[in-house]
Amino acid sequence: MAFIEINGQQFEVDEDGFLLNPDTWIEDVAKYFCKEEGIDELTEDHWKVIKYLRDYFFQFGIAPMVRKLCKDTGYSLKGIYELFPTGPAKGACKLAGLPKPTGCV
Amino acid sequence: MAQARTDIGPPLYKEMLPPIIKENYGKWQYHEIVKPGVLVHVSETGAKLYTVRAGSPRLISIYFIREICDLADKYCDGYLRFTSRHNVEFLLSDGSKVDALIAELTEKGVPVGGTGNSITNIVHTQGWVHCHTPATDASGIVKSVMDELFEYFTTMKLPAKLRISLACCLNMCGAVHCSDIAILGIHRTVPKIDHDTLHKVCEIPTLTASCPTAAIRPNPKLKSVEIKAERCMYCGNCYTMCPSVHIIDAKNDAVSIWVGGKISNSRIGPRFSRLAIPFLPNNPPRWPEVVNAVKHIVEVYAANAQPGERMAEWIERISWEKFFEVTGLQFTDKHIDDFTLAQTTFRSTTQFKW
Ligand code: SF4
Ligand code: SF4
């Protein structure tokens, strides 16, 4: 497995660059990932989605369904894509340090 | 990112139609199979479209694509199409060029056929070439089976169409659940769990919910899950959802054979394929056991079915017990459904043949 270094700290990531352990996530991880997911700068809107995803994940053990994400944050799917050009899964979940989506993606 | 051109859809198919098809779109009157692999469609305007159908291995290089493009340039003014079973069709407005095209295809080793009561191409999946959940390979078995059944691709001597499909796991990407003969990869061992990584890379509720027999339950102490071995039937769905559950097992993964599926509504309605052989070993590179089994079923069907009768129709006419008798296949406890709607598959009549 590969490691990335952020401010002198090592983080284990998989071959798609997803953080391997959600517990090790810090805000700098999201800042580090944002460029490669097509985001120039993380705004308050971005943080709102990221915080929501992390809260949901630690409460329920899963990432929310897209409809749930949109309903609870108030962003439309189009709005989510404007914030995270690579989408809610590859973009937002990755920045939030959630496990990589599985199944027939 | 801002300038990316998105949501433009596929190119409009009409732009790629040969002029003869454009001009006669919706005006076709009838068609005939001239000989194996060659069709002629006749329009109400009198125009005649000749189609030469050739096999393809589906998994093809760009060099192969360029070669068939060259042939299309030479014989069909640059037009060709792929069928829903991955055969290539060359579309000719000039019937006098058909034989020259066939000669050149044959010389290149591309067989012409797949029409009428033949065994056409095998619809298949990724196998060990690209997927992470297969229990067997796709391209390898397909090549082995088509080599053995090649004469049926280039002739039309079967009672009816015979569709063979393959899927390398029971996700059944493709058509195995509705084919005359289906080849399906299966596992036979309970998945092993990597407890150290599971809680980091998997969503545990998703994982437990993925199991059709509810064999998985959380193990909070380990921050992981456990599998009740006696409830597991090795479907591998849990592995699809969670990379820390490992089901692939080189020794025990195997191949099963299914028969009697169809999708058309002609004569009898569509049918699901049903289990014929629960287990054959994975034996690369030629899978002789699988090839022999498929060939045997084809031959028994060919010898016994009436003209026009698909596999499903033949079996339903003679009954499943006779199917097992004439094919000599063993009927085992594995053949008896024990899933949700099992009861509907049991016999609720005294009608049967000794
Ligand atoms: S059938 Fe299964 S193993 Fe084969 S391509 Fe589909 S998902 Fe992958
Ligand atoms: S292999 Fe299938 S039946 Fe067995 S535990 Fe996994 S999901 Fe359940």
Side-chain angles (χ1 to χ4, degrees):
Chain A
M1 283 296 171
F3 287 88
I4 53 168
E5 200 185 295
I6 303 169
N7 305 335
Q9 208 180 325
Q10 297 267 317
F11 293 90
E12 201 177 1
V13 293
D14 69 11
E15 67 280 8
D16 294 314
F18 273 75
L19 205 61
L20 262 195
N21 187 347
D23 296 328
T24 60
W25 182 91
I26 55 170
E27 290 194 356
D28 283 343
V29 169
K31 288 182 193 153
Y32 180 93
F33 283 153
C34 76
K35 289 276 169 320
E36 59 198 64
E37 300 307 322
I39 302 162
D40 292 333
E41 206 177 328
L42 291 171
T43 63
E44 224 165 278
D45 296 316
H46 290 106
W47 287 116
K48 184 174 160 192
V49 174
I50 291 170
K51 294 256 157 67
Y52 169 78
L53 287 173
R54 285 192 69 77
D55 286 349
Y56 193 96
F57 179 74
F58 284 105
Q59 191 178 349
F60 298 109
I62 57 173
M65 306 247 175
V66 169
R67 282 173 65 105
K68 184 88 182 127
L69 165 72
C70 292
K71 209 170 164 190
D72 289 353
T73 58
Y75 299 109
S76 64
L77 186 55
K78 190 161 172 275
I80 297 278
Y81 268 92
E82 275 159 13
L83 290 170
F84 301 93
T86 48
K90 189 181 174 297
C93 282
K94 181 177 175 184
L95 264 61
L98 266 49
K100 183 162 62 190
T102 55
C104 297
V105 291
Chain B
M1 196 65 74
Q3 290 90 356
R5 228 178 130 221
T6 62
D7 302 311
I8 51 174
L12 186 61
Y13 66 95
K14 283 182 183 159
E15 286 160 17
M16 291 169 288
L17 293 177
I20 178 169
I21 294 187
K22 246 187 220 164
E23 285 151 21
N24 295 284
Y25 203 95
K27 296 183 196 160
W28 300 107
Q29 256 178 348
Y30 66 95
H31 74 275
E32 277 166 14
I33 302 176
V34 181
K35 56 185 176 183
V38 183
L39 307 164
V40 60
H41 284 77
V42 182
S43 159
E44 63 191 32
T45 65
K48 281 185 178 177
L49 169 72
Y50 288 86
T51 303
V52 174
R53 183 176 297 170
S56 103
R58 189 181 71 91
L59 201 68
I60 51 182
S61 71
I62 190 134
Y63 303 104
F64 178 84
I65 297 175
R66 285 186 183 142
E67 273 188 56
I68 56 174
C69 288
D70 287 344
L71 289 177
D73 282 338
K74 193 164 163 190
Y75 295 97
C76 325
D77 305 314
Y79 295 95
L80 59 73
R81 69 183 286 264
F82 276 86
T83 70
S84 57
R85 296 190 80 87
H86 316 295
N87 289 310
V88 196
E89 282 186 353
F90 296 90
L91 306 163
L92 299 86
S93 45
D94 182 355
S96 68
K97 291 184 181 169
V98 165
D99 288 331
L101 170 60
I102 293 175
E104 203 163 329
L105 280 166
T106 311
E107 197 194 318
K108 285 184 187 296
V110 183
V112 170
T115 52
N117 295 342
S118 65
I119 294 180
T120 180
N121 220 345
I122 299 183
V123 167
H124 62 282
T125 49
Q126 306 189 61
W128 297 329
V129 173
H130 195 70
C131 198
H132 71 304
T133 65
T136 188
D137 190 36
S139 297
I141 301 186
V142 165
K143 165 71 174 153
S144 306
V145 171
M146 282 312 270
D147 276 350
E148 197 62 30
L149 298 177
F150 185 68
E151 57 168 311
Y152 294 102
F153 182 82
T154 53
T155 57
M156 306 192 293
K157 59 184 181 180
L158 285 168
K161 294 174 192 309
L162 200 150
R163 303 292 190 227
I164 304 181
S165 304
L166 177 146
C168 33
C169 85
L170 44 66
N171 267 356
M172 306 195 186
C173 303
V176 283
H177 61 299
C178 56
S179 298
D180 295 288
I181 299 180
I183 305 165
L184 177 69
I186 52 159
H187 303 287
R188 297 188 301 148
T189 43
V190 181
K192 293 191 184 67
I193 302 167
D194 180 355
H195 294 297
D196 293 337
T197 56
L198 191 135
H199 71 280
K200 299 185 204 163
V201 296
C202 305
E203 302 179 346
I204 289 173
T206 312
L207 174 55
T208 52
S210 73
C211 182
T213 57
I216 309 176
R217 64 174 175 211
N219 180 334
K221 241 189 251 145
L222 289 174
K223 280 176 90 181
S224 182
V225 299
E226 55 198 28
I227 297 177
K228 257 196 184 168
E230 67 277 16
R231 282 193 78 100
C232 173
M233 38 75 164
Y234 334 118
C235 69
N237 213 20
C238 49
Y239 171 59
T240 301
M241 300 320 295
C242 173
S244 293
V245 177
H246 300 284
I247 189 142
I248 290 173
D249 179 332
K251 246 202 251 133
N252 290 299
D253 287 351
V255 177
S256 59
I257 308 284
W258 303 66
V259 296
K262 75 192 276 279
I263 53 172
S264 81
N265 282 288
S266 38
R267 300 170 304 280
I268 63 169
R271 294 286 190 273
F272 282 129
S273 347
R274 292 180 169 204
L275 184 64
I277 305 175
F279 161 80
L280 292 168
N282 254 332
N283 197 355
R286 298 299 295 183
W287 280 269
E289 296 84 359
V290 176
V291 169
N292 288 339
V294 172
K295 191 178 184 200
H296 175 64
I297 295 172
V298 169
E299 283 172 353
V300 175
Y301 157 76
N304 288 281
Q306 283 174 2
E309 223 171 26
R310 290 280 293 264
M311 182 74 73
E313 298 165 274
W314 169 58
I315 296 172
E316 285 180 23
R317 175 171 57 81
I318 65 169
S319 82
W320 281 92
E321 57 262 37
K322 283 284 165 200
F323 168 80
F324 281 94
E325 194 182 308
V326 292
T327 54
L329 297 177
Q330 237 189 329
F331 186 82
T332 68
D333 57 332
K334 306 277 183 295
H335 290 87
I336 303 171
D337 192 350
D338 56 2
F339 201 57
T340 326
L341 300 174
Q343 221 188 345
T344 60
T345 67
F346 300 159
R347 181 159 307 181
S348 52
T349 164
T350 54
Q351 294 185 356
F352 72 98
K353 293 179 183 129
W354 286 107

